[in-house]
Amino acid sequence: MTGNTPDGPTAPSLDAGSRRSSPATLEDVARAAGVSLATASRSLNGSSRTVNAAYRSKVLDAAARLNYSPNLSAQAVARGSTMTVALVVADITDPYFSSIAAGVVAEADQGRLIVTMAATERDSERELEIVRTLRGQRPKVIILAGSRREGDPSEEALRRELEDYERAGGRVVLISRNELGFRTVQIDNASGAADLATALVGLGYRRFSVLTGNRELKTAADRLDGFTSGLERAGIRVEADRVVQSAFTRDGGYEGMRSLIAAGVQADEVVFAVNDVMAVGALSALRDAGLTPGADVAVAGFDDIPTVQDVWPTLTTVNVPLVEVGRAALRLALEETDASVSADSDASTAPGSPVATSVVVRDSTPRRA
Amino acid sequence: MTGNTPDGPTAPSLDAGSRRSSPATLEDVARAAGVSLATASRSLNGSSRTVNAAYRSKVLDAAARLNYSPNLSAQAVARGSTMTVALVVADITDPYFSSIAAGVVAEADQGRLIVTMAATERDSERELEIVRTLRGQRPKVIILAGSRREGDPSEEALRRELEDYERAGGRVVLISRNELGFRTVQIDNASGAADLATALVGLGYRRFSVLTGNRELKTAADRLDGFTSGLERAGIRVEADRVVQSAFTRDGGYEGMRSLIAAGVQADEVVFAVNDVMAVGALSALRDAGLTPGADVAVAGFDDIPTVQDVWPTLTTVNVPLVEVGRAALRLALEETDASVSADSDASTAPGSPVATSVVVRDSTPRRA
DNA sequence: CTGTTAGCGCCTTCAG
DNA sequence: CTGAAGGCGCTAACAG
């Protein structure tokens, strides 16, 4: 069976040793092609230098034959820079973050970039720690999504860390939070929430409650503020005791709704949860309390994550093109690779125009008679 | 404003050049500590060699002072191996995969491992391509989740690619598909589905339909088979025309359900969708057709993704500990680092015991009177 | 225990 | 245009 009768052209590589064959190196390729290491290198990577066509194809052949694949680590060491983009999110299972991640990954492989991923579990100490260990990777880009709160004790340390990183040539992009003074993909949280408020008023609602995350969470605060100011424009105020804070998660929404219910819900009110996962939790809380969301109390969210079209009632929300946000983040990081001609130092900090949001009215906020 | 009056002790580091300061190297540290490169290296990494405490602390001090962070690429080149685990999934936004990813990431950073991520978008050509480009990373582990179908034309090429990779010292772990003969985290799809069938029969159901993904998808096939054989045990057969194939996605479930409805649904039947995202789509399809899921037709899924507790009716399903599956995958990859004492060549292929699944009955399958 | 010295795989001047 | 040689940051024998 294991005889070595040449199997004809069917067996392309001579029966390779099946024991620990390490990958071919560039030197192997060069030797096989009968050229120098330099020539091999120049033909295989996108060097600016040009190479004699005959040599080049000999190299390409050899590389294919040996199944050569350049060692990215070695390239990184030699070039002094990697092709890595590091993405750090709060929680991968949260649709908000997984959508953003999908966008980053999609954009990345249109540029032969590798994306690495880490999760903070919503702990800003941990976030700082992660960013610190990220330095070892020497990523070309660091994208930070969520989980930062204002006035956080580790805030300053994080900023310093990121500044050092940029000073070393890295690019950092923040998603929906620019307090730190870096490139940012802004999401128009405030005006999206204001638009939602206006739409709800237009549907006939006059009483409002809101389920918000920790107030220090910039995103949560902006959405709350936008919502209340949208209502103010219609001459409506939301009672202070109808604003409840809880975790920025599904369970947070559930708990928040429970306390709202405990305090007494009005038949004609709508509760605005500052994000969809919270809203979805709120729907369940209502149901578990024997109430019918939509009919008994209206609910609205923010983000337009995929699942809100499959809950019942389908959720009125504010659409945020999350996948696009992820792509935009990476594009923003990569643009103008050498900041040579920035007019003033603030230019590189300019957030650019925020990504647009739009209200989507569904069944959870039926028009009031 | 930009004067340079020393700001007192507030400025910890001597006003560092704000222009492109590249990270400190090990050599910088060694010099600052007044020791040799080797000593610095030995004190900073977990070398087996021991070093004089005095020297060691001098090095540690210098490293801290210079904010040194080892260049992982350089370490990889020198050591000949990386700390990278490459995870390739079909679709990051799918809760099934994002849960697994979360598990892998969680397990990874208990081992200073870095996880990189790529998405196949359910295209097996793309999967092959991804695995190929992965070689450049020289990852220590490759974890493949989903998106492979039996009899796929690129199957053989993929197998070869992965074998080469293992031959070079890498570890591959497949999730819920062992056709290729690699380490696998098995999910007990068949018996989970059979248990579900039994439970449904116990609830009083006698008529069944199933929404399945492409039959070549191992996971889909196993769940279908398990389900039907579970029914057979109760003497029940599912009509061939009540098994419809569609995409393994939410929209697939929606479309599948539509055609089931078009063919005529029975009031006393339950439709089993082979995964939760399909089931959730099915719920919406029912609703859009004016039917009430649970009451008019029962629905059951598989996976127990988080959102099924927030849809209405809450979904009966089979729980799969997805996050744990992710962790298990990485652990499996890392165990027994040198396959020195494997009894026979099949040993390394042994799937180990499959992760247990368990039926969770909820509101979408009310007990039949 | 410490320092010197080769590499690791690749890129990139610098001479031919 | 090509090849030889030095270097990237770090590790791992190998001598002291």
Side-chain angles (χ1 to χ4, degrees), chain A residues 26 41 68 71 75 78:
Chain A
L26 185 58
S41 173
Y68 171 75
N71 182 321
Q75 286 189 159

Side-chain angles (χ1 to χ4, degrees), chain B residues 36-192:
Chain B
S36 76
L37 236 173
T39 301
S41 174
R42 293 195 271 251
S43 356
L44 287 173
N45 63 25
S47 164
S48 54
R49 310 283 305 261
T50 155
V51 19
N52 177 303
Y55 278 162
R56 162 177 234 101
S57 72
K58 268 165 56 169
V59 171
L60 263 36
D61 277 9
R65 201 165 350 114
L66 297 176
N67 199 8
Y68 171 74
S69 174
N71 183 322
L72 297 188
S73 293
Q75 286 189 157
V77 175
R79 299 209 242 248
S81 73
T82 67
M83 292 296 264
T84 299
V85 11
L87 172 62
V88 12
V89 300
D91 174 9
I92 302 172
T93 63
D94 185 320
Y96 177 86
F97 295 111
S98 61
S99 293
I100 290 175
V104 172
V105 168
E107 186 74 23
D109 63 33
Q110 297 190 163
R112 309 208 149 293
L113 295 174
I114 290 168
V115 10
T116 71
M117 194 143 175
T120 66
E121 307 297 351
R122 302 196 144 77
D123 175 347
S124 49
E125 291 294 341
R126 179 121 190 63
E127 180 180 42
L128 176 57
E129 190 183 320
I130 286 174
V131 170
R132 287 203 164 120
T133 64
L134 243 38
R135 300 180 57 222
Q137 281 181 51
R138 305 285 189 273
K140 175 188 293 283
V141 174
I142 292 181
I143 298 175
L144 257 39
S147 85
R148 175 111 305 238
R149 32 198 55 151
E150 284 183 348
D152 194 290
S154 54
E155 166 119 28
E156 180 59 16
L158 180 65
R159 194 175 53 60
R160 201 149 35 207
E161 198 68 38
L162 292 175
E163 278 169 354
D164 284 0
Y165 169 70
E166 286 214 321
R167 202 166 298 125
R171 303 297 218 182
V172 0
V173 172
L174 270 27
I175 289 181
S176 192
R177 69 186 206 206
N178 65 348
E179 329 90 76
L180 294 172
F182 295 96
R183 281 176 174 70
T184 303
V185 174
Q186 280 297 19
I187 294 172
D188 212 340
N189 290 311
S191 70

